[in-house]
Amino acid sequence: MSRCGADWFMVLLIARWPTFSCFTVVRVGNNVRMGATSNGGAPPTSEIDVAIVGAGFAGMYMLHRARQAGFTARVFERGGGVGGTWYWNRYPGARCDVPSLEYSYQFSDELQQEWEWSEKYATQPEILRYADHVADRFDLRRDISFNTTVTSLEWNDDGWLVTARSIDDNAPDHHDVALTARFVVLATGCLSSANVPRFPDDHLFGGRTYHTGAWPHDGVDFAGQRVAVIGTGSSGIQSIPLIAKQAAHLTVLQRTPAYSIPARNQQLSPEYVADVKANYGEFRRKNSLTRAALGGDTPTGPHGACEVNDDERRSALEARWQKGGLLFLGAFNDALTNSESNRLIADFVRDKIRSTVLDPDTARKLSPDSIIGCKRLCVDTDYYETFNRPNVSLVDLREQPIERFSEKGIVVRTSSSPCRDVGGSTESRHMEEHEFDAIVFATGFDAMTGAISKIDIVGRNGLQLRDAWSAGPVNYLGLSVHGFPNLFTITGPGSPSVLTNMIVSIQHHVDWISDCISWMNANHARTIEADADSQNHWVQHVNAVAGMTLYQSCSSWYLGTNVPGKPRVFMPLPGFPAYAQTCADVAQNGYRGFHVS
Ligand code: NA7
């Protein structure tokens, strides 16, 4: 299927990349096996149709579709196994906040019929088992290079030079591998680049530190330990109740309180599963027609929160609270467009926090005052109840900011004294040192663009993606960037992605990309690239849609404000069905808005 001759690349590589003199690459049938030597050897001679970065749910399905369409493909995966976010996020309590019967592939009816989910919300180990099952069932592993991080992508008229660094568990050093690919698909995940904030003197801390997004595979035993958790987003809120049960003492360091809705997790009843499976196609179809591509059996309420009286509002919200989960916000149709409606819904949650948390001061600190849903809503099991435990305490970092780390723990400022004296008495009066054996960073991710920006991506005429995105990510349909031909992003910024059931958005993008490259072959097209004009219009469109909502009223990872120095741009596009229709229209009209050559 490949269109580019190996000889052509030999000439190119020898001419332009003399440093890549240490590769051996062997073609085996349609598959490419890569090896590398630390010296000598031949330059990269292998050439494939599609290079895929990442073996999470996006990369796995992209590999499957590419193969089905007759393309040669290879996945490069930083981790030692498939699963992406579910490979890395092994912290206690890690669980999907989308019901498992929805958070699963729908491309194979056999797969969705045979796989048995045990709980309404699947745990991380169960989702990882599912990913492993898919990899085995569709024989994906033979085209995945594990422990291999793509470091650069360079466009050369007809294809991409892909360079990756491979770490062999059994060898002390790394080696570089390279190949050329006609297309590159970035399946790098939206929440895969950990955000680890730095604090003064953090190197001094003598205990253990962990990030929820890079959790040790063997687990961590906190029994008898004094533990700190920094961060109260989804990862903090899921892990805090479980760490609290194990640790001698848990201190939660909270910068911004989150809104969290009870999950009401439960074992799935065989009757319910059978019912869904008997009509799985219709179940999926209904879900895909909702804004977030989930919860088709619980449609958004027909009224705004201000359009009903107090009793009706409370009763609608109570029903959603009892049902649990993210669909709480769908009780009313204007939760994220009308600030007064939003306040009424937020008041309901604040009442719940006050009635759950026994200590009024702790309840006050846990009560958010921002727009509900502006940051991603959290879903929990016993989160607020955990603060009633005698071994759990809360430090509100807005009142007591972290001053520095110490050898024994974390020093917070306990008053707003203007004197920042380090020499003894003044400091001891205004600082408090909390001693810990372990500190857990539940501090989130450089979302949506973090993993992409770690790769040196050089497009047409030497244009660096980092420069193209210096003021924030720009692209067309969230799929393609002007100046970067034959490069696609799965669930990239500018697409609904993180505002939806991710697997639905992933499948939608993979199907669109697969159809696009098949269409290119059928039409003898060599390259495809977003037009500058269509990209500009798309960026304006995403901003305009986001501007109609309340999403921009707070700091959130949707806006990139959690990462110092990151441009403040609302990255995802609200509304899956309209977006999917636009993508279909673009394809049906000969890839309108793209330059095809
Ligand atoms: P989130 O939702 O980004 O949460 C990170 C938390 O860490 C949040 O409470 C942050 O407070 C806090 N944080 C981040 N940096 C700091 C510093 N420097 N000091 C104190 N606290 C800090 O990440 P999660 O991993 O919990 O969840 C990510 C997504 O995964 C989630 O939305 C679901 O989609 C699944 P802040 O709110 O910024 O004040």
Side-chain angles (χ1 to χ4, degrees), residues 89 91 97 191 195 197-199 211-212 230-237 253-256 375-378 397 402 442-445 498 555 557-558 562:
N89 283 266
Y91 60 84
D97 56 9
L191 297 163
N195 172 39
R198 300 302 308 267
F199 295 97
H211 189 281
T212 47
I230 304 176
T232 52
S234 292
S235 305
I237 280 177
L253 294 106
Q254 169 194 272
R255 187 165 69 181
T256 311
K375 285 180 193 281
R376 189 180 158 108
L377 206 57
C378 298
L397 297 178
I402 293 175
T443 45
F445 301 89
V498 292
S555 297
W557 58 258
Y558 295 145
N562 62 327

Side-chain angles (χ1 to χ4, degrees), residues 292-533:
L294 64 91
D297 59 358
T298 312
T300 298
H303 302 293
C306 298
E307 293 167 6
V308 296
N309 68 36
D310 289 355
D311 285 347
E312 288 167 330
R313 187 169 49 251
R314 258 194 303 273
S315 135
L317 290 170
E318 185 63 34
R320 296 265 173 161
W321 183 266
Q322 292 309 327
K323 188 168 171 130
L326 293 172
L327 298 179
F328 172 79
L329 266 193
F332 296 102
N333 62 17
D334 59 352
L336 277 162
T337 51
N338 180 327
S339 52
E340 181 55 14
S341 292
N342 190 286
R343 185 187 65 74
L344 292 167
I345 298 166
D347 279 347
F348 177 90
V349 178
R350 285 188 280 263
D351 282 348
K352 289 291 185 188
I353 297 171
R354 274 191 292 273
S355 65
T356 306
V357 179
L358 300 176
D359 173 48
D361 195 45
T362 304
R364 176 186 64 79
K365 291 173 179 167
L366 286 169
S367 296
D369 53 14
S370 54
I371 292 288
I372 182 168
C374 178
K375 285 180 193 281
R376 189 180 158 108
L377 206 57
C378 298
V379 174
D380 73 278
T381 298
D382 294 339
Y383 175 63
Y384 294 118
E385 289 83 348
T386 296
F387 290 89
N388 295 332
R389 293 176 64 100
N391 70 330
V392 174
S393 49
L394 177 67
V395 174
D396 184 342
L397 297 178
R398 293 176 303 181
E399 295 171 4
Q400 300 187 350
I402 293 175
E403 179 72 9
R404 59 182 168 81
F405 278 33
S406 66
E407 195 186 335
K408 292 180 179 167
I410 295 177
V411 177
V412 296
R413 177 172 287 272
T414 54
S415 81
S416 54
S417 162
C419 313
R420 196 175 176 279
D421 179 5
V422 289
S425 60
T426 310
E427 174 172 90
S428 58
R429 275 205 309 276
H430 299 292
M431 304 290 167
E432 185 178 349
E433 183 178 36
H434 296 267
E435 296 187 4
F436 302 117
D437 302 302
I439 298 174
V440 174
F441 287 81
T443 45
F445 301 89
D446 182 353
M448 305 200 72
T449 55
I452 296 174
S453 58
K454 282 183 177 161
I455 306 171
D456 275 323
I457 304 179
V458 184
R460 218 168 12 84
N461 301 325
L463 178 63
Q464 298 259 357
L465 188 65
R466 275 194 202 102
D467 292 338
W469 283 11
S470 60
V474 291
N475 60 25
Y476 179 42
L477 302 177
L479 279 160
S480 168
V481 187
H482 177 65
F484 298 83
N486 293 8
L487 177 83
F488 299 99
T489 48
I490 297 182
T491 61
S495 74
S497 59
V498 292
L499 299 178
T500 67
N501 176 355
M502 280 300 288
I503 291 208
V504 173
S505 284
I506 282 170
Q507 268 202 226
H508 171 252
H509 267 184
V510 170
D511 288 339
W512 192 95
I513 294 165
S514 304
D515 291 347
C516 172
I517 61 180
S518 295
W519 175 88
M520 288 177 67
N521 262 13
N523 288 277
H524 310 290
R526 211 170 42 89
T527 65
I528 185 164
E529 176 188 342
D531 285 337
D533 277 355

